Each structure stands twice: as C-alpha cells, then as structure tokens.
C-alpha cells in the first residue's frame, strides 16, 4: 500500500512551504494572505529510499473567517480517516492558539501516528519557545524552519520510521489491476456497470454517490483482470469541497496500487485542472494510462470533431501525450469494449521486456542518424543501452559524458523509443549513465 502523509494545521503556519520542501517542487501558490493555498495539493516524496505521498490540507479551506474553524476540524477528521501519518503543524511565533488546542484534542483520540511540528524556529530564542507545545499532549515537538529547511531532515527520519522499507507485496501479480479514476460524477460507476453488466454500484446523478472503492474480478471477452472503481466516499453529508478532497485521497491510494489507470473526463467540460492533477499523479507513479472522454453522446458534434478534441487534449497533457484517447458513452455503451482492449494493450506495453540486442540495434540506428550535439566542445559517445529491471519501463544508456546529455536529446531518444517499441500509454524513464 502507498504511504500517505497529511499536513494539517490552521492557516498560515507554513504548511505549503513544508509541503513544497518535501516534494521538491513549488507546486502550491504561496502568498502572505491567510488561506491562499489555491490548489488541491498532493505530491510524491521519498527519503532514504522510502516513497510516500504528501497531502497539504491547506488547499481545502474556503476563504472566510467564520467557517475556518469548522473547515479545519473537517480537514483534520478527513486526514485521520485517510492518511497513515499526520504532521500537525503549529507556529512558534504565535504560541498555542485556541484552534491549535482544538485540533490537538481531535488528534489525541486517534490511533494514527501524529508528529507535532513547530515551524518558524529559526533562532535560539525560538528554540526555547517551542517547549510550550509540550502542553498540547502530543509528545515531543519537532522544531523546524520550513523556509530555511533546518530540522526537516530529522522530521523526515521520524516520518519514515513508521513506514518500514516496503516489501513488495506478494499479490497475484500476473492479474492486471485496472483502476478507473476521475473527478466525482464523470461516470466511473456507469462505465463499470456497462462492463460488468450488473448494477454493482449505486449510480445516481449526484456527485459522489458511490460509497467506497469497489473491486470486481472481470473475466469476459477473453480478458482477465481486477477492475477498481475509486469512486469515493463513505460519509454522507459532506459538502462538495470535501467530495473532491475525498475523491483525490482515494484516487491516490488506488493509483499507487494499480497497473493501468483509466482516467475518465467529462466530454461536456473538457479537461479541467483537477483532471490534470490526477493525470500528473498517474505519471508521477509511472502507471499506464488510458484517457476516456465520457458522455460523448451529449456533445454537439458539428463544431467539435473527435480529431479537434483529441488535439486539444494532447496539448493540455503534453509533453507525455502518447496515450490512447477514447470517446465513449457509458449510457449508450458506445466503444466500451475498446476501453478494455486499450487498457489491456497498455498493460502489455508496460510489462514488455525489450532484449538488449534489440535495444542496441535501435541505439546505434538513432544515434547514427542524429548524434548527441557536442557540449562545450566535448563529444558524447553513447556506447550501449539496456532496459532496467523496474516495474515500469526504464532504460539506461551508457555513455562517456552523461552529464552533458541535454533534455532535447533525451526527448529525441524517448520519441524514437516510442516509435519503435509500442509504449503507448506508458510513462518511461531514460537514464544516461557512465559505463
């Protein structure tokens, strides 16, 4: 199972800055105004070879003072439900606030591991001020400064202690796991019902009516796989804000445990930023992907042909857009089997092993056709290539000066690899290494 870490705390304690530090990307919009983390945010991180996903709950506060408290309580409860470890962040410059105590009250009742993180500790006086937080009754506070990064190493050491080095779970790996992901209400359950041919899920046109992710062993039309509907949520009475939040959380787990993801989008809305988030998450996890544009029967065909629509999508998801894109209607069952066939093909593409001799033949050919440009007057010679023994396709090209191989050349090699060996729908990695 993937390890999930959630960062909770009231606005402005520095959750987003820590989040960015952990995932090594400036993904959140950081601003001085309270509660401006606009984006719904999650990312992958790893420390000492242990991977985990990080979720910044700051993205879920609706911006008005009166709902803050309720919203934060809600976030904390969701984080407790869904994460494996909770980082509770407080701010040394304000001391313990009423809201901090409230959050601590909720967290003290959970079985989950909670790490109390005191932020903005960037001088000696503040180190002493941090002791006040022992009063929250959540054990030893860890002092950090998320802006300068001091203390984050210790925090990470503490964090991954609870995730033992992940042993590969011995599941029946020969059976592909196909997961259907997408925002609430794009028709994920209808697709499963159309495939499995029985009403397994409650499908009503309210966003988020499916109560939990549903697994179905599928054995029909000569295919055999496990299909997972990550629909979403268990608790009634959540506002739409949380719905998205929940479906994102659920998708993270499901994506991490799958081989191929079928990402569904709603034809009437086009591809939206939330869809791109999920797409990027699939890529970050290096899973196979098939993009399904559902509700195609509701789109006016005259002005938007499939070709135009496909091009528009490819632009949005670039650079990695070598993926199957299928237009369906789960209601009329149009092209439903095509979705399966493509998903199975992507699974095959993702699990293929390319022999070293074939790869070297390929390498010689593409390198002779277009050798890597010289860099600082030095010539780069690519000697040979091999596929690495990883679960998702990755290739090592051995050369004399790997540090001088530039991105455009890496893209050239990737495009040629995709042309030659069928890698449609599969994110790949290319490494240049010294022999």
């Amino acid at each position: 199972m993937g390890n999930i870490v959630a960062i909770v705390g009231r606005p402005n304690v520095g959750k987003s800055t820590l989040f960015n530090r952990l995932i090594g990307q400036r993904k959140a919009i950081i601003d001085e105004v309270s509660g401006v983390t606009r984006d719904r945010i999650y990312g992958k991180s790893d420390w000492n070879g242990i991977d985990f996903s990080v979720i910044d709950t700051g993205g879920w506060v609706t911006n008005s003072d009166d709902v803050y408290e309720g919203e934060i309580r809600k976030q904390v409860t969701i984080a407790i439900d869904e994460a494996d470890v909770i980082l509770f962040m407080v701010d040394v410059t304000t001391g313990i606030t009423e809201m901090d105590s409230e959050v601590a009250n909720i967290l003290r009742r959970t079985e989950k591991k909670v790490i109390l993180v005191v932020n903005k500790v960037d001088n000696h006086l503040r180190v002493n001020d941090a002791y006040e937080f022992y009063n929250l009754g959540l054990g030893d506070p860890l002092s950090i400064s998320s802006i300068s990064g001091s203390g984050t190493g210790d925090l990470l050491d503490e964090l991954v202690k609870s995730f033992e080095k992940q042993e590969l779970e011995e599941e029946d790996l020969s059976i592909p796991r196909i997961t259907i992901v997408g925002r609430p209400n794009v028709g994920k359950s209808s697709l499963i019902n159309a495939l499995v041919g029985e009403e397994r899920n409650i499908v009503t046109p309210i966003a988020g009516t499916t109560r939990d992710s549903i697994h179905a062993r599928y054995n029909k039309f000569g295919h055999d796989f496990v299909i997972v509907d990550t629909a979403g949520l268990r608790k009634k009475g959540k506002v739409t804000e949380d719905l998205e939040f929940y479906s994102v959380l659920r998708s993270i787990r499901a994506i991490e445990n799958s081989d191929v993801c079928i990402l569904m989008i709603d034809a009437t809305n086009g591809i939206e930023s939330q869809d791109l988030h999920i797409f990027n998450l699939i890529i970050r996890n290096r899973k196979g992907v098939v993009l399904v544009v559902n509700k195609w029967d509701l789109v006016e065909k005259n002005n938007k042909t499939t070709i135009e629509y496909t091009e528009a999508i490819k632009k949005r998801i670039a650079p990695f857009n070598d993926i199957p894109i299928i237009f369906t209607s789960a209601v009329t069952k149009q092209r439903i089997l095509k979705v399966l066939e493509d998903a199975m093909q992507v699974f095959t593409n993702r699990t293929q092993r390319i022999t070293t001799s074939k790869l070297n033949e390929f390498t010689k050919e593409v390198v002779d056709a277009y050798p890597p440009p010289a860099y600082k007057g030095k010539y780069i010679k690519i000697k040979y290539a091999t596929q690495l023994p990883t679960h998702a396709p990755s290739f090592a090209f051995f050369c004399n000066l790997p540090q001088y191989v530039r991105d455009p050349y890496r893209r050239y090699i990737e495009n040629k690899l995709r042309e030659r060996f069928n890698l449609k729908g599969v994110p790949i990695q290319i490494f240049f290494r010294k022999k």
Side-chain angles (χ1 to χ4, degrees), residues 115-135:
I115 301 175
L116 177 60
V117 183
V118 186
N119 193 18
K120 307 185 190 174
V121 181
D122 39 26
N123 61 40
H124 292 304
L125 296 170
R126 288 182 174 182
V127 172
N128 293 331
D129 295 343
Y131 293 125
E132 176 194 346
F133 293 95
Y134 271 105
N135 294 324

Side-chain angles (χ1 to χ4, degrees), residues 45-76:
S45 181
D46 67 275
W47 184 251
N48 296 342
I50 298 176
D51 285 341
F52 53 94
S53 297
V54 192
I55 292 162
D56 173 11
T57 61
W60 282 274
V61 175
T62 37
N63 209 350
S64 73
D65 297 325
D66 49 326
V67 291
Y68 262 159
E69 311 218 356
E71 285 289 322
I72 286 165
R73 269 197 298 274
K74 225 162 9 181
Q75 279 174 33
V76 173

